[in-house]
Amino acid sequence: METIATKDVLTLSVALGESMLACGAEIYRVEETVQRILQTYELEDSHVYVISNGIFASSNVGGDGCSLIRSVPLGTIHLGKIAAMNQLARDLAARNCSVSEGWERLRQCQELPPPHKRMAVLCRGIGCSAFCLLFGGSMTDALCAGVIGMVLGLHMNWQERLSMARFAKCLFNSMLVTLLSFLPLWMGLAVSQDRVVISGIIPLFPGIAFTTSVRELFNSDYLSGVIHFVDALLTALCIAAGVGIVISLC
Amino acid sequence: MFVETCIIFAAVISFCVLFAAPRNEWFFCGLGGSVSWMAYQFLKSKNVHFAFAVLGATVVLALLAKLFAILRRQPATIYLLPGIFPLVPGAGIYYTSYFLIMGDWERFSQMGVETFETAAAIALGIILVSALPDRKKS
């Protein structure tokens, strides 16, 4: 068996964990993945600590020691990358894949494309109108919500290029949606504006982050739970503030 | 009921696209989401308290996600995240923060508690299912 430095294994496994975390994988899953790879390479004295926006890991085997800290900003969910990296982690843990191969495959995983732009816009529209129907909106409401959702999608594509604070983006997005929801009213269409607004901004809402945070709290990942909780709360407040500002102005 | 299930199916698949789920798994995500929504509606029609209805629907979804994960050798999150979207209290969070900003304390606290209950029910449902023994290590 080839001898592999502790550092190589630790760096690879933490890099893999970092990417998984950035794509929205669960905390305990990331921790387990890194630990399993380290175990496979018999790095006995290893410790991994993962929170929602960082990884700390150290390993010390017979004087060959190494420790790593990674800061991982909260990212957007990419399930395709999670699936691919999950497979890679499984292969690494089963020793079906060497360390150098692992780096190559990790790079391939990271290069998986984000969802197609136009497709994402269309799907945002479909999602918004579907939610509008579920909230008890009429067909006209759903149509308006769908169009607003698509405009929002286009706006978000454009916004990606700007280096603006995330919360400022949230504020502007929700202001845009609320403003647009007044248009059908001014045009004399019979819509229930309330429903159109909610369905328009529902894809922005941190519903999943909120649920994840409660899950983490139950899982006794208290720190991660609190980070996601505060993040969800602030996002929600920004969105609601955007709606409130526009409604009180119009 | 049938129409609603179709709507959920479309909504879940559109979220699969936004979350960049692997194309081959879209159908299964949609299936999980629709079936759990049907379970939610069924429980609600039996006058079950909404938190328990959400809990039941989440358990159904999480079980399906686990089944798909084993059958298709993918992590369960892929089926869980898009499928959970219809249940997640997005509108609840919106109303809670909206009432907070508008200073409507009564409705704020009512909505806030409701939202938290829903989130806790979903989290408990997922945790209950994840406590089931995993497949044998290959």
Side-chain angles (χ1 to χ4, degrees), chain A residues 65-127:
Chain A
C66 175
S67 65
L68 290 173
I69 299 177
R70 288 279 187 279
S71 149
V72 189
L74 299 177
T76 44
I77 297 174
H78 193 307
L79 294 176
K81 284 186 190 172
I82 294 185
M85 287 189 287
N86 190 58
Q87 189 58 45
L88 170 60
R90 210 178 283 160
D91 289 347
L92 277 170
R95 281 185 180 265
N96 284 336
C97 176
S98 71
V99 172
S100 50
E101 261 178 287
W103 278 113
E104 175 58 25
R105 278 182 55 186
L106 178 60
R107 201 182 50 76
Q108 283 169 6
C109 292
Q110 284 164 341
E111 279 171 4
L112 283 176
H116 192 272
K117 285 250 164 84
R118 268 176 236 150
M119 193 77 170
V121 169
L122 185 68
C123 285
R124 201 173 283 278
I126 296 176

Coordinates of all heavy atoms in Angstrom, one line a residue, chain A residues 65-127:
Chain A
G65 N 1.3 15.6 11.8 CA 0.0 16.2 12.2 C -0.4 17.4 11.2 O 0.5 17.9 10.5
C66 N -1.6 17.7 11.3 CA -2.1 18.8 10.4 C -3.4 19.3 11.0 O -4.2 18.5 11.5 CB -2.3 18.2 9.0 SG -3.0 19.4 7.8
S67 N -3.7 20.6 10.8 CA -5.0 21.0 11.2 C -5.5 22.1 10.2 O -4.7 22.8 9.6 CB -5.0 21.6 12.6 OG -4.2 22.7 12.7
L68 N -6.8 22.1 10.0 CA -7.4 23.0 9.0 C -8.5 23.7 9.5 O -9.3 23.2 10.3 CB -7.8 22.1 7.8 CG -6.8 21.5 6.9 CD1 -7.5 20.5 5.9 CD2 -6.0 22.5 6.2
I69 N -8.7 24.9 9.1 CA -9.9 25.7 9.3 C -10.4 26.2 8.0 O -9.7 26.7 7.2 CB -9.6 26.9 10.3 CG1 -9.1 26.4 11.6 CG2 -10.9 27.7 10.5 CD1 -8.7 27.5 12.5
R70 N -11.7 26.1 7.8 CA -12.3 26.6 6.5 C -13.5 27.4 6.9 O -14.3 27.0 7.7 CB -12.7 25.4 5.7 CG -11.6 24.6 5.0 CD -11.1 25.3 3.8 NE -10.1 24.5 3.1 CZ -8.9 24.4 3.4 NH1 -8.4 25.1 4.4 NH2 -8.0 23.7 2.7
S71 N -13.5 28.6 6.3 CA -14.7 29.4 6.5 C -15.6 29.2 5.2 O -15.1 29.4 4.1 CB -14.3 30.9 6.7 OG -15.3 31.7 6.1
V72 N -16.8 28.8 5.4 CA -17.7 28.5 4.3 C -18.9 29.4 4.4 O -19.8 29.2 5.2 CB -18.2 27.0 4.4 CG1 -18.9 26.6 3.1 CG2 -17.0 26.1 4.7
P73 N -19.0 30.4 3.5 CA -20.2 31.3 3.6 C -21.4 30.5 3.2 O -21.4 29.5 2.4 CB -19.9 32.4 2.5 CG -18.7 31.9 1.7 CD -18.0 30.8 2.5
L74 N -22.6 30.9 3.8 CA -23.8 30.2 3.4 C -24.1 30.4 1.9 O -24.1 31.5 1.4 CB -25.0 30.8 4.2 CG -24.9 30.8 5.7 CD1 -26.1 31.5 6.4 CD2 -24.9 29.3 6.2
G75 N -24.3 29.2 1.2 CA -24.4 29.3 -0.2 C -25.8 28.9 -0.7 O -26.7 28.8 0.1
T76 N -25.9 28.8 -2.0 CA -27.2 28.3 -2.6 C -27.2 26.8 -2.7 O -26.2 26.2 -2.9 CB -27.5 29.0 -3.9 OG1 -26.3 28.9 -4.7 CG2 -27.9 30.4 -3.8
I77 N -28.5 26.3 -2.6 CA -28.6 24.8 -2.6 C -28.4 24.3 -4.1 O -28.9 24.9 -5.0 CB -30.0 24.4 -2.2 CG1 -30.2 24.8 -0.7 CG2 -30.2 22.9 -2.3 CD1 -31.6 24.6 -0.2
H78 N -27.5 23.3 -4.2 CA -27.3 22.6 -5.5 C -27.3 21.1 -5.3 O -26.3 20.5 -4.9 CB -26.0 23.1 -6.1 CG -25.8 22.7 -7.5 ND1 -25.9 21.4 -7.9 CD2 -25.5 23.5 -8.6 CE1 -25.7 21.4 -9.3 NE2 -25.4 22.6 -9.7
L79 N -28.5 20.5 -5.5 CA -28.6 19.1 -5.1 C -27.8 18.2 -6.0 O -27.4 17.1 -5.6 CB -30.1 18.7 -5.2 CG -31.0 19.4 -4.2 CD1 -32.5 19.0 -4.4 CD2 -30.6 19.0 -2.8
G80 N -27.6 18.6 -7.3 CA -26.8 17.8 -8.2 C -25.4 17.6 -7.7 O -24.8 16.5 -7.7
K81 N -24.8 18.7 -7.2 CA -23.4 18.6 -6.7 C -23.4 17.7 -5.4 O -22.5 16.9 -5.2 CB -22.9 20.0 -6.3 CG -22.5 20.8 -7.5 CD -21.9 22.1 -7.0 CE -21.7 23.1 -8.1 NZ -21.3 24.4 -7.7
I82 N -24.5 17.9 -4.6 CA -24.5 17.0 -3.4 C -24.5 15.6 -3.8 O -23.8 14.7 -3.2 CB -25.7 17.4 -2.5 CG1 -25.6 18.8 -2.0 CG2 -25.9 16.4 -1.4 CD1 -26.7 19.2 -1.0
A83 N -25.3 15.2 -4.8 CA -25.4 13.8 -5.2 C -24.1 13.3 -5.7 O -23.6 12.2 -5.3 CB -26.5 13.7 -6.3
A84 N -23.4 14.1 -6.5 CA -22.2 13.7 -7.1 C -21.1 13.6 -6.0 O -20.3 12.6 -6.0 CB -21.7 14.7 -8.2
M85 N -21.1 14.5 -5.1 CA -20.1 14.4 -4.0 C -20.3 13.3 -3.1 O -19.4 12.8 -2.5 CB -20.0 15.8 -3.3 CG -19.3 16.8 -4.2 SD -18.9 18.3 -3.4 CE -20.5 19.0 -3.3
N86 N -21.6 13.0 -2.9 CA -21.9 11.9 -2.0 C -21.3 10.6 -2.6 O -20.8 9.8 -1.9 CB -23.5 11.8 -2.0 CG -23.9 10.8 -0.9 OD1 -23.6 11.0 0.2 ND2 -24.6 9.8 -1.3
Q87 N -21.5 10.4 -3.9 CA -20.9 9.3 -4.6 C -19.4 9.2 -4.4 O -18.8 8.2 -4.1 CB -21.3 9.3 -6.1 CG -21.0 8.1 -6.8 CD -21.7 6.8 -6.2 OE1 -22.8 6.9 -5.9 NE2 -20.9 5.8 -6.0
L88 N -18.8 10.4 -4.6 CA -17.3 10.5 -4.4 C -16.9 10.1 -3.0 O -15.9 9.3 -2.8 CB -16.9 11.9 -4.8 CG -15.4 12.3 -4.4 CD1 -14.5 11.4 -5.2 CD2 -15.1 13.7 -4.8
A89 N -17.6 10.6 -2.0 CA -17.3 10.3 -0.6 C -17.4 8.8 -0.4 O -16.6 8.2 0.3 CB -18.2 11.0 0.3
R90 N -18.5 8.2 -1.0 CA -18.6 6.7 -0.8 C -17.5 6.0 -1.4 O -16.9 5.0 -0.8 CB -20.0 6.3 -1.5 CG -20.6 5.2 -0.8 CD -21.9 4.8 -1.5 NE -23.0 5.8 -1.1 CZ -24.1 5.9 -1.8 NH1 -24.2 5.2 -2.9 NH2 -25.0 6.7 -1.4
D91 N -17.1 6.4 -2.6 CA -15.9 5.7 -3.3 C -14.6 5.9 -2.5 O -13.8 5.0 -2.4 CB -15.8 6.2 -4.7 CG -16.9 5.8 -5.6 OD1 -17.6 4.9 -5.1 OD2 -17.0 6.3 -6.7
L92 N -14.4 7.1 -1.9 CA -13.2 7.3 -1.2 C -13.2 6.5 0.1 O -12.2 5.9 0.4 CB -13.1 8.8 -0.8 CG -12.6 9.8 -1.8 CD1 -12.8 11.2 -1.3 CD2 -11.1 9.5 -2.0
A93 N -14.4 6.4 0.8 CA -14.4 5.6 2.0 C -14.3 4.1 1.7 O -13.8 3.4 2.6 CB -15.7 5.9 2.7
A94 N -14.7 3.7 0.5 CA -14.6 2.3 0.2 C -13.2 2.0 -0.5 O -13.0 0.9 -1.0 CB -15.7 1.9 -0.7
R95 N -12.4 3.0 -0.6 CA -11.1 2.9 -1.2 C -11.2 2.5 -2.7 O -10.3 1.8 -3.3 CB -10.2 1.9 -0.5 CG -9.5 2.5 0.7 CD -8.6 1.5 1.3 NE -7.9 2.0 2.5 CZ -6.8 2.7 2.5 NH1 -6.1 2.8 1.4 NH2 -6.3 3.1 3.6
N96 N -12.3 2.9 -3.4 CA -12.4 2.7 -4.8 C -11.8 3.8 -5.6 O -11.9 3.9 -6.8 CB -13.9 2.6 -5.2 CG -14.5 1.3 -4.8 OD1 -13.7 0.3 -4.6 ND2 -15.8 1.3 -4.6
C97 N -11.1 4.7 -4.9 CA -10.7 6.0 -5.5 C -9.5 6.5 -4.7 O -9.6 6.6 -3.5 CB -11.9 7.0 -5.4 SG -11.6 8.6 -6.0
S98 N -8.4 6.8 -5.4 CA -7.2 7.2 -4.7 C -7.3 8.7 -4.4 O -8.2 9.4 -4.8 CB -6.0 6.9 -5.5 OG -6.0 7.8 -6.6
V99 N -6.4 9.2 -3.6 CA -6.4 10.6 -3.2 C -6.3 11.5 -4.4 O -7.1 12.5 -4.6 CB -5.3 10.9 -2.2 CG1 -5.3 12.4 -1.9 CG2 -5.6 10.2 -0.9
S100 N -5.4 11.2 -5.3 CA -5.2 12.1 -6.5 C -6.4 12.1 -7.4 O -6.9 13.1 -7.9 CB -3.9 11.7 -7.3 OG -3.9 10.4 -7.5
E101 N -7.0 10.8 -7.6 CA -8.2 10.7 -8.3 C -9.3 11.5 -7.7 O -10.2 12.2 -8.3 CB -8.7 9.3 -8.4 CG -8.3 8.5 -9.6 CD -8.8 7.1 -9.5 OE1 -8.2 6.3 -8.7 OE2 -9.8 6.7 -10.1
G102 N -9.3 11.5 -6.3 CA -10.4 12.2 -5.6 C -10.3 13.7 -5.9 O -11.4 14.3 -6.1
W103 N -9.1 14.3 -5.9 CA -9.0 15.7 -6.2 C -9.6 16.0 -7.6 O -10.4 16.9 -7.8 CB -7.6 16.1 -6.2 CG -7.1 16.4 -4.9 CD1 -6.1 15.7 -4.2 CD2 -7.5 17.5 -4.0 NE1 -5.9 16.3 -3.0 CE2 -6.7 17.4 -2.8 CE3 -8.4 18.5 -4.1 CZ2 -6.9 18.2 -1.7 CZ3 -8.6 19.4 -3.0 CH2 -7.8 19.2 -1.9
E104 N -9.3 15.1 -8.6 CA -9.8 15.3 -9.9 C -11.3 15.3 -10.0 O -12.0 16.1 -10.5 CB -9.2 14.2 -10.8 CG -9.7 14.2 -12.3 CD -9.4 15.5 -13.0 OE1 -8.5 16.3 -12.6 OE2 -10.2 15.8 -13.9
R105 N -11.9 14.3 -9.2 CA -13.3 14.1 -9.3 C -14.0 15.2 -8.5 O -15.1 15.7 -8.9 CB -13.7 12.8 -8.7 CG -13.6 11.7 -9.8 CD -14.0 10.3 -9.3 NE -15.4 10.3 -8.7 CZ -15.9 9.2 -8.1 NH1 -15.2 8.2 -8.0 NH2 -17.1 9.3 -7.7
L106 N -13.4 15.7 -7.4 CA -14.0 16.8 -6.7 C -14.0 18.1 -7.6 O -15.1 18.8 -7.5 CB -13.1 17.1 -5.4 CG -13.6 18.3 -4.6 CD1 -15.0 18.0 -4.1 CD2 -12.6 18.5 -3.4
R107 N -13.0 18.3 -8.4 CA -13.0 19.4 -9.3 C -14.1 19.3 -10.3 O -14.8 20.3 -10.6 CB -11.6 19.5 -10.0 CG -11.3 20.9 -10.6 CD -10.0 20.9 -11.3 NE -9.9 19.8 -12.3 CZ -10.5 19.8 -13.5 NH1 -11.3 20.8 -13.8 NH2 -10.4 18.7 -14.3
Q108 N -14.3 18.1 -10.8 CA -15.4 17.9 -11.7 C -16.8 18.2 -11.1 O -17.7 18.8 -11.7 CB -15.5 16.4 -12.2 CG -14.4 16.1 -13.3 CD -14.3 14.6 -13.5 OE1 -15.1 13.8 -13.0 NE2 -13.3 14.3 -14.3
C109 N -16.9 17.7 -9.8 CA -18.2 18.0 -9.1 C -18.4 19.5 -8.9 O -19.5 20.0 -9.1 CB -18.2 17.4 -7.7 SG -18.1 15.6 -7.6
Q110 N -17.4 20.2 -8.6 CA -17.5 21.6 -8.4 C -17.9 22.4 -9.6 O -18.4 23.5 -9.6 CB -16.2 22.2 -7.7 CG -16.1 21.9 -6.3 CD -14.7 22.1 -5.8 OE1 -13.8 22.2 -6.5 NE2 -14.6 22.2 -4.5
E111 N -17.5 21.7 -10.8 CA -17.8 22.4 -12.0 C -19.1 22.1 -12.6 O -19.5 22.6 -13.7 CB -16.7 22.1 -13.1 CG -15.4 22.9 -12.8 CD -14.3 22.5 -13.7 OE1 -14.4 21.5 -14.5 OE2 -13.2 23.1 -13.5
L112 N -19.9 21.3 -11.9 CA -21.3 21.1 -12.4 C -22.0 22.4 -12.6 O -21.9 23.3 -11.7 CB -22.1 20.2 -11.4 CG -21.7 18.7 -11.5 CD1 -22.5 18.0 -10.4 CD2 -22.0 18.1 -12.8
P113 N -22.7 22.6 -13.7 CA -23.3 23.9 -13.9 C -24.5 24.2 -13.0 O -25.2 23.3 -12.6 CB -23.8 23.8 -15.4 CG -24.0 22.4 -15.6 CD -23.0 21.6 -14.7
P114 N -24.7 25.5 -12.7 CA -25.9 25.9 -12.0 C -27.1 25.7 -12.9 O -26.9 25.5 -14.1 CB -25.7 27.4 -11.7 CG -24.8 27.8 -12.7 CD -23.9 26.7 -13.0
P115 N -28.4 25.7 -12.4 CA -29.5 25.5 -13.2 C -29.5 26.5 -14.4 O -29.1 27.6 -14.3 CB -30.7 25.7 -12.3 CG -30.2 26.3 -11.1 CD -28.8 25.9 -11.0
H116 N -30.0 26.0 -15.6 CA -30.0 26.8 -16.8 C -30.8 28.0 -16.5 O -31.9 28.0 -15.9 CB -30.6 26.0 -17.9 CG -30.5 26.6 -19.2 ND1 -31.4 27.5 -19.7 CD2 -29.5 26.5 -20.1 CE1 -31.0 27.9 -20.9 NE2 -29.9 27.3 -21.2
K117 N -30.3 29.2 -16.9 CA -30.9 30.5 -16.6 C -32.4 30.6 -17.0 O -33.2 30.9 -16.2 CB -30.1 31.6 -17.2 CG -28.8 31.9 -16.5 CD -28.8 33.2 -15.7 CE -27.6 33.3 -14.7 NZ -26.4 33.7 -15.3
R118 N -32.6 30.4 -18.3 CA -34.0 30.6 -18.8 C -34.9 29.6 -18.2 O -36.1 29.9 -17.8 CB -34.0 30.4 -20.3 CG -33.8 31.8 -20.9 CD -33.8 31.7 -22.4 NE -32.6 32.3 -22.9 CZ -31.9 31.9 -24.0 NH1 -32.4 30.8 -24.7 NH2 -30.8 32.5 -24.4
M119 N -34.4 28.3 -18.0 CA -35.2 27.3 -17.4 C -35.6 27.7 -16.0 O -36.7 27.5 -15.5 CB -34.3 26.0 -17.4 CG -35.1 24.7 -17.0 SD -36.0 24.2 -18.5 CE -36.4 22.6 -17.9
A120 N -34.6 28.3 -15.2 CA -34.9 28.6 -13.9 C -36.0 29.7 -13.8 O -36.9 29.7 -12.9 CB -33.6 29.2 -13.2
V121 N -35.9 30.7 -14.7 CA -36.9 31.7 -14.8 C -38.3 31.1 -15.0 O -39.3 31.4 -14.3 CB -36.6 32.7 -15.9 CG1 -37.8 33.7 -16.1 CG2 -35.4 33.5 -15.6
L122 N -38.4 30.2 -16.0 CA -39.7 29.6 -16.3 C -40.2 28.8 -15.0 O -41.4 28.9 -14.7 CB -39.5 28.6 -17.4 CG -40.7 28.0 -18.0 CD1 -41.6 29.0 -18.6 CD2 -40.4 26.8 -18.9
C123 N -39.3 28.1 -14.4 CA -39.7 27.2 -13.3 C -40.1 28.1 -12.1 O -41.0 27.7 -11.4 CB -38.6 26.3 -12.9 SG -38.4 25.0 -14.0
R124 N -39.5 29.2 -11.9 CA -39.9 30.1 -10.8 C -41.3 30.6 -11.1 O -42.1 30.6 -10.2 CB -38.9 31.3 -10.8 CG -38.9 32.0 -9.5 CD -37.9 33.1 -9.5 NE -36.5 32.5 -9.3 CZ -36.0 32.2 -8.1 NH1 -36.7 32.4 -7.0 NH2 -34.8 31.7 -8.0
G125 N -41.6 30.9 -12.4 CA -43.0 31.3 -12.7 C -44.0 30.1 -12.4 O -45.0 30.4 -11.8
I126 N -43.6 28.9 -12.8 CA -44.5 27.8 -12.6 C -44.7 27.6 -11.1 O -45.9 27.4 -10.6 CB -44.0 26.5 -13.2 CG1 -43.9 26.6 -14.7 CG2 -44.9 25.3 -12.8 CD1 -43.3 25.5 -15.4
G127 N -43.6 27.6 -10.3 CA -43.7 27.4 -8.9 C -44.6 28.5 -8.3 O -45.5 28.2 -7.4

